[in-house]
Amino acid sequence: MSAAPIRKIAVNTGGGDAPGLNAVIRAVVLSARSRGWEVLGIRQGYDGLMGDGTGILDLDENAVRGITHTGGTILGTSNRGNPFQIDNGRGGTEDRSSQVAERFRELELDALVAIGGDGSLSIARDLHERFGLPVVGVPKTIDNDLAATEYTFGFDTAVATATDAIDKLHPTAQSHQRVMVVELMGRYAGWIALYAGVAGTADVVLVPEVPFRLEKVCEKIVEREARGRHFSIVVVAEGAAPLGGKMVVEKTQEPGREVKLGGIGQWVGQEITRLTGKETRFLALGHLQRGGQPSAFDRLLSLRFGAAAVRSVEARDFGTMVALQANQICSVPLEEATRRIRTIPLDSDVLQTARDLGTCLGD
């Protein structure tokens, strides 16, 4: 007996926003509508399936017109909305995942296209495994740290934004003969810091994968001073840590959320001043890395991912995530996609390039 035809699907965006989200949504809607399917948008991650019904909206061709080049997400997003760990207001969490599954079935949905990073896709995986919800994931994170795909959309734009900022710091650092320390996003994986640091010709790049020693960082700065280069650019991923030390935490963990990192760049700057006497300034680029129009690469990747997700739904290839491998879109199990974080290999040619160029990695 053949499966019932697909008539209605939903799409949501979860976790931190990233350039390219709207392009994915547009590709999902147009690809699905061309097959005669109805498309619903779920607002604020999974929150729209746990509210009063106002978190659901119809998405047609008019709803997604002209959004490919725009940043953010027309559906909104949330990094607090894990239905398996909802803050109960008493310092703990409660599991409301069954409410999500029930609402999904009430809406008579045939599939969910879940766009997110490892946290949001882990939720999608658990909903598929526990309740049998037909889910297809789309990888989204500016950190580029999902193991089953070579690139995630948003990463290229974030690197371009960070590189532009580093470029702009060079003349002011040189004019004032200062050390400029730039903190970039990257909790467990330093892809943004490495790519932007090398592209922006930073003198020091510190990433989570390579524990650093301050004396090595300062040696680089002093060595530049001796050569008449009286300024330096230091790029630090937020998750970088000194050898034998821990990540710097800005805010303690809240229910259903990861601990908030921040401050490593400022600490590194203060230590450089203490150990070398050099005047230092610190900048945390923060959420600027998430904003702006997606690059051409991210737009195209987003559109490819969105269209491929609909093809996976059509093939009833559920419990999977679309991925980029060898520049081709493929499908991988969500279990594989969320099993581990994709960190920078220590034999990475980009790391080796940095070393060959004389960039200090702190080790």
Side-chain angles (χ1 to χ4, degrees), residues 266-287:
Q266 185 172 17
W267 180 80
V268 166
Q270 291 169 345
E271 289 299 297
I272 289 173
T273 297
R274 181 178 69 83
L275 294 171
T276 69
K278 285 291 296 180
E279 187 176 4
T280 307
R281 291 291 185 271
F282 157 70
L283 170 69
L285 212 56
H287 287 81

Side-chain angles (χ1 to χ4, degrees), residues 173 176-182 217-218 221 225 230-234 236 264-283:
H176 293 274
Q177 299 188 352
R178 291 171 175 159
V179 176
M180 304 297 289
V181 181
V182 187
V217 174
C218 293
I221 293 168
E225 286 283 321
H230 301 298
F231 73 98
S232 294
I233 303 292
V234 178
V236 189
I264 183 62
Q266 185 172 17
W267 180 80
V268 166
Q270 291 169 345
E271 289 299 297
I272 289 173
T273 297
R274 181 178 69 83
L275 294 171
T276 69
K278 285 291 296 180
E279 187 176 4
T280 307
R281 291 291 185 271
F282 157 70
L283 170 69

Side-chain angles (χ1 to χ4, degrees), residues 12 24 46 112-126 128-129 133-141 144-153 301-302 304-313 316-325 328-342:
N12 74 339
V24 179
Y46 292 91
L112 168 67
V113 175
I115 312 168
D118 80 299
S120 299
L121 293 181
S122 294
I123 296 170
R125 177 203 65 207
D126 292 343
H128 174 72
E129 292 178 352
L133 296 194
V135 173
V136 173
V138 176
K140 174 273 329 168
T141 168
N144 201 40
D145 60 358
L146 281 169
T149 184
E150 292 172 2
Y151 285 99
T152 55
F153 70 85
L301 183 59
S302 299
R304 292 170 72 189
F305 276 159
V310 171
R311 293 196 296 270
S312 290
V313 170
R316 290 174 170 78
D317 187 18
F318 299 126
T320 61
M321 181 191 82
V322 295
L324 183 71
Q325 296 181 1
Q328 295 296 314
I329 304 296
C330 62
S331 178
V332 298
L334 274 172
E335 175 60 35
E336 176 185 335
T338 57
R339 185 178 300 150
R340 63 179 178 85
I341 294 294
R342 178 175 176 263

Side-chain angles (χ1 to χ4, degrees), residues 14 44 58 91 100 129-130 160 193 207 210 214 221 247 283 286 300 314 320 330 335:
Q44 307 302 129
D58 291 317
V100 170
E129 292 178 352
R130 184 179 300 188
V207 295
V210 184
L214 275 169
I221 293 168
M247 295 186 295
L283 170 69
L300 180 57
E314 186 174 42
T320 61
C330 62
E335 175 60 35

Side-chain angles (χ1 to χ4, degrees), residues 186-188 208 238-242 245-250 259 261-262 264:
R187 175 180 294 269
Y188 303 115
E238 63 181 349
K246 298 180 179 180
M247 295 186 295
V248 177
V249 175
E250 179 180 313
V259 66
L261 301 183
I264 183 62

